Amino acid sequence: MALTKTILSPRDEWKTAENFCVQCGKFHPSQSHWEFMQTMPQDPLEMISDLTKMGVYKPVTFDIANSLSTAELRKELFLKMAGKGSPKREKLVLELAKQAGGLDNAFSAAFGAKAGEFFGDAIRSGEFSRRKFLQNVAIGAALVTLVNACGNNAGTPESQPDAPPPDTSNLEKTDLKVGFIPITCATPIIMSEPLGFYQKYGLNTQVVKMPSWGAVRDSAIAGELDAYHMLAPMPIAMTLGLGSATFGVRLASIENINGQAITVSNKYKGKINGPADFKGFVLGVPFPYSMHNLLLRYYLATGGINPDVDVTIRPVPPPDSIAQLVAGDIDGFLMPDPFNQRAVYENAGFIHKLTKELWPGHPCCAFAASDTWINENPNTFRALNKSIIEATGYASKPENRVEIAEAISDRAFLNQPVEVVQAVLTGKFEDGLGNNLDVPDRIDFDPYPWQSFANWIMSQLVRWDISGDGKAKQLTADGKYNQLGQEIFLTDLARELAEELGQTPPADIYRTETLAFDTFDPQNPDQYIQAQIDKYGF
């Protein structure tokens, strides 16, 4: 399948993610619902009067009480007010009711004694007048409004429908720009705009699509963005001045774990069985200071391939990776998704290995902000990080992945076929070799920034001396791994915010990391490096 650019007609130009309403699934600003509800009576009885005055309903005669049970009537009204025929809205309404213990309890929780008065009494008495019908419609409308107020978090452990809305009165700044690269690793950052997580915390956040990681780094240093989607090694590299001017950046939370793959051009089908078979290849990675580069080097070395001698590894912006693979500029890549799956979709390449096979649960991307911005906007930073941690918790639930794929596939975000994004997020995919696989944690979402992640990253920056000046080794000398890691990875804050959301983050900050070919003790990174060199020669 050839890569083509979709050109929208003027009529369809309106149908973009920025105008996609997450409340009803139609194309108009989601804010419209909120603005409308501000003009509506807050009590169902007051709403009745307004509906009657507007002449919305004509007199009707029907014996609904005899044809529907109480439970059926309630369900029908719920779904009609949600927009029957819209699976997404029906799911939200029914899920809220499920969390309340059923439709009866949902009514009682939302409206107290009025629920029985408006529904149960009317049906039990066999009287279902026009006025009672209007009253019931108002109840249904009010409950759906309650669902909307809870956002699309209904049913998640982090969501607490009965809790008061977050206090947003102390935010230093509410209009924000967060840069992102269009990859599935950015899912929590991206989805928080269309699914309302930012809005919940009083933030008018615009996610800004960036062309490359170099552009993210340069925009961060120039102060053009408030916060950023970054590769997990980038805050370490930038803070230490590796590959760029020294610029203090803090990693606030992890966006995704797993979620990458080694993909090879179709012309090598049947010829690649392990790392030794990559000798002489030109391989793409998204950025020198990336988990992709470090994991690719880790893998190649186990096959006797010196990453700096036996292959060529070069940066390729993820959006350019398929075109370069098709053109033969690169033989393969270790890239974030959805580009591995897109290569299969385009019949351009096959998936050789998922990175979760190299290190189950490894970090990849992160949410980050500069020291200066955090110090100037501490409350806003906290709210922004909390919204993303909540979104990460939502994304971690397999049952939410299809909905999320639909929300982020739009051209304003990933600009990918929704079936490609769904294949990545659900883990049900074709590998390009004739296999249909089911790997639920092909990509997963866990916001907790383990300090052992930071120490492993720093150990590999020392091992490979990517900056070429020995600076990483100098900066980590005398056992400074822990000190640097705890300055850059804000693990304690991430735990605090997760606990406020009802999540259960770990109490520890270090753990032993088990990789495919060895085990990493975060308290002995220098010994780990030496063991790798002794075993493989580099």
Side-chain angles (χ1 to χ4, degrees), residues 43-68:
D43 187 282
L45 283 175
E46 294 179 32
M47 193 180 295
I48 303 303
S49 177
D50 278 15
L51 289 170
T52 305
K53 289 176 183 177
M54 289 187 291
V56 173
Y57 295 99
K58 304 294 183 183
V60 293
T61 56
F62 52 87
D63 190 6
I64 192 171
N66 292 332
S67 61
L68 290 175

Short mmCIF file of all heavy atoms in Angstrom, two decimals, residues 43-68:
data_model
loop_
_atom_site.label_atom_id
_atom_site.label_comp_id
_atom_site.label_asym_id
_atom_site.label_seq_id
_atom_site.Cartn_x
_atom_site.Cartn_y
_atom_site.Cartn_z
N ASP A 43 -32.04 21.77 39.14
CA ASP A 43 -32.97 20.81 39.74
C ASP A 43 -33.85 20.22 38.64
O ASP A 43 -34.36 20.95 37.79
CB ASP A 43 -33.84 21.53 40.77
CG ASP A 43 -34.71 20.54 41.54
OD1 ASP A 43 -35.74 20.11 40.98
OD2 ASP A 43 -34.35 20.22 42.69
N PRO A 44 -34.05 18.91 38.63
CA PRO A 44 -34.87 18.28 37.59
C PRO A 44 -36.26 18.88 37.47
O PRO A 44 -36.80 19.01 36.37
CB PRO A 44 -34.92 16.82 38.01
CG PRO A 44 -33.65 16.62 38.77
CD PRO A 44 -33.42 17.91 39.51
N LEU A 45 -36.87 19.27 38.60
CA LEU A 45 -38.23 19.83 38.53
C LEU A 45 -38.24 21.16 37.79
O LEU A 45 -39.17 21.47 37.04
CB LEU A 45 -38.78 20.00 39.95
CG LEU A 45 -39.27 18.71 40.63
CD1 LEU A 45 -39.69 19.01 42.06
CD2 LEU A 45 -40.43 18.11 39.85
N GLU A 46 -37.20 21.98 38.00
CA GLU A 46 -37.11 23.23 37.26
C GLU A 46 -36.95 22.96 35.77
O GLU A 46 -37.47 23.69 34.92
CB GLU A 46 -35.93 24.05 37.77
CG GLU A 46 -36.08 24.54 39.19
CD GLU A 46 -34.86 25.34 39.63
OE1 GLU A 46 -34.27 26.00 38.77
OE2 GLU A 46 -34.52 25.28 40.82
N MET A 47 -36.22 21.90 35.44
CA MET A 47 -36.03 21.56 34.04
C MET A 47 -37.36 21.20 33.38
O MET A 47 -37.60 21.49 32.22
CB MET A 47 -35.04 20.40 33.92
CG MET A 47 -34.54 20.16 32.51
SD MET A 47 -33.38 18.77 32.44
CE MET A 47 -32.02 19.38 33.42
N ILE A 48 -38.26 20.56 34.14
CA ILE A 48 -39.56 20.20 33.61
C ILE A 48 -40.29 21.43 33.10
O ILE A 48 -40.85 21.45 32.01
CB ILE A 48 -40.43 19.52 34.69
CG1 ILE A 48 -39.73 18.30 35.25
CG2 ILE A 48 -41.79 19.15 34.13
CD1 ILE A 48 -39.38 17.29 34.22
N SER A 49 -40.27 22.47 33.93
CA SER A 49 -40.99 23.68 33.58
C SER A 49 -40.46 24.27 32.28
O SER A 49 -41.21 24.68 31.40
CB SER A 49 -40.86 24.71 34.71
OG SER A 49 -41.48 25.92 34.35
N ASP A 50 -39.12 24.29 32.15
CA ASP A 50 -38.51 24.84 30.94
C ASP A 50 -38.89 24.02 29.72
O ASP A 50 -39.20 24.56 28.65
CB ASP A 50 -36.99 24.88 31.08
CG ASP A 50 -36.53 26.11 31.84
OD1 ASP A 50 -37.38 26.74 32.49
OD2 ASP A 50 -35.31 26.41 31.79
N LEU A 51 -38.85 22.70 29.85
CA LEU A 51 -39.18 21.83 28.72
C LEU A 51 -40.63 22.05 28.28
O LEU A 51 -40.93 22.10 27.08
CB LEU A 51 -38.97 20.36 29.10
CG LEU A 51 -37.52 19.91 29.26
CD1 LEU A 51 -37.49 18.51 29.87
CD2 LEU A 51 -36.80 19.92 27.93
N THR A 52 -41.51 22.21 29.26
CA THR A 52 -42.92 22.40 28.94
C THR A 52 -43.15 23.72 28.24
O THR A 52 -43.87 23.81 27.24
CB THR A 52 -43.77 22.33 30.23
OG1 THR A 52 -43.49 21.10 30.89
CG2 THR A 52 -45.25 22.42 29.92
N LYS A 53 -42.49 24.79 28.75
CA LYS A 53 -42.65 26.11 28.15
C LYS A 53 -42.13 26.14 26.72
O LYS A 53 -42.66 26.85 25.87
CB LYS A 53 -41.90 27.15 28.99
CG LYS A 53 -42.54 27.43 30.34
CD LYS A 53 -41.70 28.40 31.14
CE LYS A 53 -42.30 28.64 32.51
NZ LYS A 53 -41.45 29.54 33.34
N MET A 54 -41.06 25.39 26.47
CA MET A 54 -40.50 25.38 25.12
C MET A 54 -41.37 24.60 24.14
O MET A 54 -41.16 24.65 22.93
CB MET A 54 -39.09 24.77 25.13
CG MET A 54 -38.06 25.67 25.79
SD MET A 54 -36.38 25.01 25.60
CE MET A 54 -36.45 23.56 26.63
N GLY A 55 -42.34 23.86 24.65
CA GLY A 55 -43.20 23.08 23.78
C GLY A 55 -42.47 21.96 23.07
O GLY A 55 -42.82 21.60 21.94
N VAL A 56 -41.44 21.43 23.74
CA VAL A 56 -40.65 20.39 23.11
C VAL A 56 -41.47 19.13 22.90
O VAL A 56 -41.33 18.45 21.88
CB VAL A 56 -39.42 20.07 23.98
CG1 VAL A 56 -38.67 18.85 23.43
CG2 VAL A 56 -38.50 21.28 24.03
N TYR A 57 -42.37 18.82 23.82
CA TYR A 57 -43.12 17.58 23.75
C TYR A 57 -44.59 17.85 23.43
O TYR A 57 -45.21 18.76 23.98
CB TYR A 57 -43.02 16.81 25.07
CG TYR A 57 -41.63 16.35 25.35
CD1 TYR A 57 -40.80 17.06 26.21
CD2 TYR A 57 -41.13 15.21 24.74
CE1 TYR A 57 -39.51 16.64 26.45
CE2 TYR A 57 -39.83 14.79 24.98
CZ TYR A 57 -39.03 15.51 25.84
OH TYR A 57 -37.74 15.09 26.09
N LYS A 58 -45.11 17.06 22.54
CA LYS A 58 -46.53 17.08 22.23
C LYS A 58 -47.23 16.07 23.15
O LYS A 58 -46.61 15.13 23.62
CB LYS A 58 -46.76 16.69 20.77
CG LYS A 58 -46.00 17.55 19.78
CD LYS A 58 -46.48 18.98 19.79
CE LYS A 58 -45.76 19.82 18.74
NZ LYS A 58 -46.17 21.25 18.78
N PRO A 59 -48.52 16.25 23.36
CA PRO A 59 -49.24 15.25 24.17
C PRO A 59 -49.11 13.86 23.55
O PRO A 59 -49.21 13.71 22.33
CB PRO A 59 -50.69 15.74 24.12
CG PRO A 59 -50.58 17.21 23.86
CD PRO A 59 -49.39 17.37 22.96
N VAL A 60 -48.82 12.89 24.37
CA VAL A 60 -48.68 11.53 23.88
C VAL A 60 -49.57 10.60 24.69
O VAL A 60 -49.87 10.86 25.85
CB VAL A 60 -47.22 11.05 23.98
CG1 VAL A 60 -46.35 11.82 23.03
CG2 VAL A 60 -46.71 11.18 25.41
N THR A 61 -50.01 9.54 24.05
CA THR A 61 -50.79 8.54 24.76
C THR A 61 -50.18 7.19 24.48
O THR A 61 -50.07 6.78 23.34
CB THR A 61 -52.24 8.56 24.30
OG1 THR A 61 -52.27 8.37 22.89
CG2 THR A 61 -52.92 9.87 24.63
N PHE A 62 -49.71 6.53 25.51
CA PHE A 62 -49.16 5.20 25.35
C PHE A 62 -49.14 4.54 26.72
O PHE A 62 -49.18 5.20 27.75
CB PHE A 62 -47.75 5.23 24.75
CG PHE A 62 -46.81 6.14 25.49
CD1 PHE A 62 -46.08 5.70 26.57
CD2 PHE A 62 -46.66 7.47 25.10
CE1 PHE A 62 -45.22 6.53 27.25
CE2 PHE A 62 -45.80 8.31 25.78
CZ PHE A 62 -45.08 7.85 26.85
N ASP A 63 -49.11 3.26 26.70
CA ASP A 63 -49.13 2.50 27.95
C ASP A 63 -47.75 1.91 28.17
O ASP A 63 -47.55 0.71 28.11
CB ASP A 63 -50.17 1.39 27.88
CG ASP A 63 -50.38 0.74 29.25
OD1 ASP A 63 -49.80 1.25 30.23
OD2 ASP A 63 -51.11 -0.25 29.31
N ILE A 64 -46.77 2.79 28.39
CA ILE A 64 -45.39 2.34 28.53
C ILE A 64 -45.21 1.50 29.78
O ILE A 64 -44.37 0.61 29.84
CB ILE A 64 -44.43 3.54 28.53
CG1 ILE A 64 -42.99 3.05 28.37
CG2 ILE A 64 -44.57 4.37 29.78
CD1 ILE A 64 -42.01 4.18 28.12
N ALA A 65 -46.01 1.79 30.81
CA ALA A 65 -45.85 1.05 32.07
C ALA A 65 -46.16 -0.42 31.90
O ALA A 65 -45.58 -1.27 32.58
CB ALA A 65 -46.75 1.65 33.15
N ASN A 66 -47.08 -0.72 30.99
CA ASN A 66 -47.45 -2.11 30.81
C ASN A 66 -46.49 -2.86 29.90
O ASN A 66 -46.47 -4.08 29.87
CB ASN A 66 -48.87 -2.21 30.23
CG ASN A 66 -49.90 -1.74 31.23
OD1 ASN A 66 -49.68 -1.85 32.44
ND2 ASN A 66 -51.02 -1.22 30.75
N SER A 67 -45.72 -2.12 29.09
CA SER A 67 -44.85 -2.78 28.12
C SER A 67 -43.41 -2.90 28.59
O SER A 67 -42.65 -3.68 28.06
CB SER A 67 -44.86 -2.02 26.78
OG SER A 67 -44.39 -0.69 26.97
N LEU A 68 -43.04 -2.11 29.58
CA LEU A 68 -41.67 -2.15 30.07
C LEU A 68 -41.67 -2.30 31.58
O LEU A 68 -42.49 -1.68 32.27
CB LEU A 68 -40.91 -0.86 29.71
CG LEU A 68 -40.57 -0.62 28.23
CD1 LEU A 68 -39.94 0.76 28.09
CD2 LEU A 68 -39.62 -1.67 27.72
#
